[in-house]
Amino acid sequence: MNNQYAVLISSEIPELGELDLLRSIYRELNGYMEDYNNQINLDDLGDWKLLIQINLRNTNGGIGIFKRAKRFPSNKEFEISISIPVPNLEEARYGISDMTGIYIPLNIKNFYILSPCFSKYDNLYHYILESAKQAIDAAFTYGFTCNGKRIKKKRVYNKQHYRLNKAERCKPLIAEKNMNNWIETSGSPFVIVEQQYAHQWKGQENYNAICSVTDYLGKIYIDNHVLLVMGDEPMATRIVNKDGAILIIRWKYAPDYLTVEKLLENDIVTGAEPIEEVEVKWDSTELVLFDSLSPYCEASVKVFLSLQKTSCIIKTYLYQKDEVSLIIHSIQ
């Protein structure tokens, strides 16, 4: 085992105090982490150690990955915290009857949230083990900041890499006819910058700068100019002008595009509580949104935006109801 990392597992549910089960999963997960020796920039940790803490606990339905690594200077350790929910007897035949224990509600501001799949497994052991592997993989895909360094899976900066990443997703984002109003990249984030400075974006040469963004919308600076990064997973995107605001609609999931189009006929933002808020002061009102993978001059997707003033507040909302989930950035 590499001395720079360790996987720990604990249970906050009394019925899951079986040590043999936890020890077996512990051994499997530490073996699984050996596959990451050459995939993660562990050298950037220096003489610090990375702990991956798997907690079996009651959540509000999701697998939660805490977005910030906890720092313990006295031990020179960073801790990544992952919460895995355990099914009850109604959710899975291998579920447990006693669900007492600490309840941890997850929210998308502080956690990356994955959906558990209870029906995919035949027993509790394989559910916990495979869910932990999935969460570890997602955690290092997002990455964590440790002493100013972003610890995450190393990226391969070429278009074939992003095509493969796209193919691995469950469903192509723009797969239906008549979705001409939607745009997407091949797996890289969209960015927004003033048109007069867009030529300064060098694509892969600047790409590391946006990897620190873990929110749905993050603000960074390139050559002393603001650049907005649309973080989290790549999503099909549509721009809508509505009641004086520019809405950037990002498709997390939906049964079909007509369902989303019908929703957009109504005001689904008013009265909602934003999950993020960013204030930006620009030098001009003319912006451009484009694919960050390539230099601006080579970007295959470009959308030009005009603001009413040079300062704005961008509020991010999560619309999630029934079979539809959208991220909405409202520029006001």
Side-chain angles (χ1 to χ4, degrees):
M1 183 190 302
N2 189 311
N3 290 328
Q4 279 199 289
Y5 62 78
V7 181
L8 308 175
I9 184 167
S10 64
S11 173
E12 296 176 358
I13 301 174
E15 192 173 322
L16 280 182
E18 184 183 339
L19 293 181
D20 288 343
L21 174 70
L22 299 183
R23 285 196 190 104
S24 180
I25 295 174
Y26 164 83
R27 287 192 295 268
E28 289 289 335
L29 291 178
N30 277 283
Y32 180 72
M33 274 300 298
E34 292 181 8
D35 295 337
Y36 279 93
N37 279 342
N38 297 320
Q39 296 184 50
I40 299 174
N41 54 324
L42 291 173
D43 290 344
D44 286 338
L45 286 172
D47 58 351
W48 285 61
K49 187 174 182 177
L50 194 64
L51 303 180
I52 300 101
Q53 177 67 55
I54 308 293
N55 302 294
L56 307 180
R57 53 176 37 143
N58 291 327
T59 73
N60 49 345
I63 299 171
I65 304 165
F66 196 66
K67 290 184 176 182
R68 301 287 184 264
K70 299 176 183 178
R71 189 173 185 268
F72 300 98
S74 59
N75 297 328
K76 289 193 171 182
E77 292 176 343
F78 285 97
E79 179 186 287
I80 296 171
S81 179
I82 295 173
S83 300
I84 296 182
V86 176
N88 58 38
L89 288 172
E90 294 181 357
E91 294 171 313
R93 63 180 182 82
Y94 55 82
I96 63 174
S97 56
D98 184 3
M99 294 299 292
T100 58
I102 300 173
Y103 174 74
I104 303 293
L106 306 180
N107 61 76
I108 61 174
K109 183 175 180 61
N110 298 318
F111 292 86
Y112 300 115
I113 302 176
L114 311 177
S115 297
C117 188
F118 302 136
S119 61
K120 185 177 178 180
Y121 306 101
D122 296 325
N123 56 67
L124 192 58
Y125 172 84
H126 285 108
Y127 160 71
I128 296 173
L129 176 61
E130 296 305 320
S131 296
K133 288 180 179 178
Q134 177 192 10
I136 289 171
D137 190 61
F140 286 115
T141 299
Y142 290 120
F144 298 87
T145 300
C146 301
N147 289 338
K149 299 288 187 178
R150 195 69 179 170
I151 307 300
K152 65 184 301 181
K153 274 189 175 182
K154 297 175 183 177
R155 292 180 181 267
V156 180
Y157 298 110
N158 57 63
K159 292 184 179 180
Q160 178 64 22
H161 166 76
Y162 290 111
R163 282 197 293 269
L164 289 173
N165 276 355
K166 179 183 174 184
E168 290 168 358
R169 296 201 292 268
C170 296
K171 179 182 177 182
L173 296 177
I174 300 181
E176 301 181 55
K177 296 179 180 179
N178 303 319
M179 289 189 68
N180 296 330
N181 292 328
W182 293 84
I183 57 174
E184 66 176 336
T185 71
S186 296
S188 44
F190 279 122
V191 294
I192 302 173
V193 71
E194 292 173 69
Q195 293 179 29
Q196 61 183 329
Y197 304 129
H199 66 279
Q200 297 176 356
W201 181 256
K202 306 301 182 184
Q204 296 176 19
E205 184 179 325
N206 295 135
Y207 204 86
N208 283 338
I210 66 177
C211 292
S212 61
V213 174
T214 58
D215 295 329
Y216 285 112
L217 189 74
K219 179 173 67 173
I220 63 173
Y221 292 87
I222 300 293
D223 294 331
N224 296 319
H225 303 302
V226 174
L227 183 133
L228 297 178
V229 181
M230 294 167 62
D232 201 71
E233 296 181 4
M235 307 176 205
T237 300
R238 183 179 173 188
I239 314 298
V240 177
N241 288 285
K242 199 174 187 69
D243 300 328
I246 298 174
L247 301 183
I248 302 176
I249 314 295
R250 300 172 67 188
W251 176 317
K252 286 176 72 71
Y253 58 80
D256 54 67
Y257 90 96
L258 287 175
T259 302
V260 177
E261 293 294 322
K262 189 170 183 62
L263 279 173
L264 296 182
E265 293 175 1
N266 304 310
D267 187 349
I268 59 176
V269 168
T270 299
E273 188 71 22
I275 57 173
E276 295 174 3
E277 190 169 309
V278 176
E279 185 175 359
V280 185
K281 293 184 179 180
W282 309 95
D283 293 333
S284 67
T285 58
E286 301 305 309
L287 313 180
V288 59
L289 177 152
F290 60 95
D291 183 351
S292 60
L293 177 62
S294 305
Y296 173 72
C297 60
E298 300 175 11
S300 58
V301 178
K302 299 176 184 177
V303 178
F304 298 98
L305 309 173
S306 293
L307 305 180
Q308 296 180 355
K309 51 187 179 180
T310 56
S311 62
C312 64
I313 295 177
I314 306 174
K315 297 181 179 180
T316 299
Y317 302 87
L318 171 65
Y319 178 89
Q320 191 160 302
K321 187 175 181 181
D322 299 326
E323 297 181 299
V324 178
S325 182
L326 306 172
I327 295 296
I328 303 169
H329 306 296
S330 176
I331 306 177
Q332 301 173 339

